[in-house]
Amino acid sequence: MLHVFNGREIWFQKLGPNYKSLEKCDLGQGVGSLNGVADTFPKFFEDTSKTMTLKERLIHCIKSIQGFSSSSISSNERIQQNIFSILMWLNHINGDQ
């Protein structure tokens, strides 16, 4: 359950070169709409012209909003732990945030 709590905290934490939270990340239900979002993947996103998994979309947001590079995401264990925690949290959300 710790990962679920940490995922929520990490989502709202300002991180990365751009010092931004992930609150503006659109996971396909509109910015800020997260309830049940994990059940909607994989999903096609017009902004990338790709069908993405939840993890792929999350990484897209980490790169585009927070400014992390692909290499820093793949080589940084802390970022990988953050991704895991956010995914756990998003999969846990049912009716409340």
Side-chain angles (χ1 to χ4, degrees):
M1 208 55 156
L2 182 59
H3 283 291
V4 172
F5 175 76
N6 286 344
R8 184 184 190 289
E9 295 300 313
I10 294 163
W11 182 265
F12 293 103
Q13 189 176 9
K14 292 179 180 177
L15 296 171
N18 296 342
Y19 195 65
K20 302 269 185 180
S21 74
L22 291 170
E23 292 175 84
K24 300 283 187 201
C25 178
D26 183 357
L27 295 176
Q29 297 183 158
V31 172
S33 181
L34 301 174
N35 290 340
V37 73
D39 294 335
T40 67
F41 282 84
K43 175 181 279 196
F44 180 80
F45 288 90
E46 289 190 23
D47 64 338
T48 61
S49 298
K50 293 181 183 178
T51 298
M52 304 173 103
T53 64
L54 178 56
K55 182 176 181 179
E56 290 169 334
R57 186 62 178 184
L58 177 57
I59 291 170
H60 168 78
C61 288
I62 289 169
K63 290 171 19 181
S64 63
I65 295 171
Q66 294 182 325
F68 285 107
S69 67
S70 294
S71 62
S72 65
I73 291 170
S74 61
S75 66
N76 187 309
E77 186 175 325
R78 177 63 162 201
I79 296 173
Q80 291 296 318
Q81 289 173 349
N82 287 351
I83 290 168
F84 178 78
S85 293
I86 292 169
L87 290 171
M88 292 293 292
W89 171 60
L90 290 172
N91 278 292
H92 184 264
I93 295 173
N94 288 318
D96 57 75
Q97 294 181 30

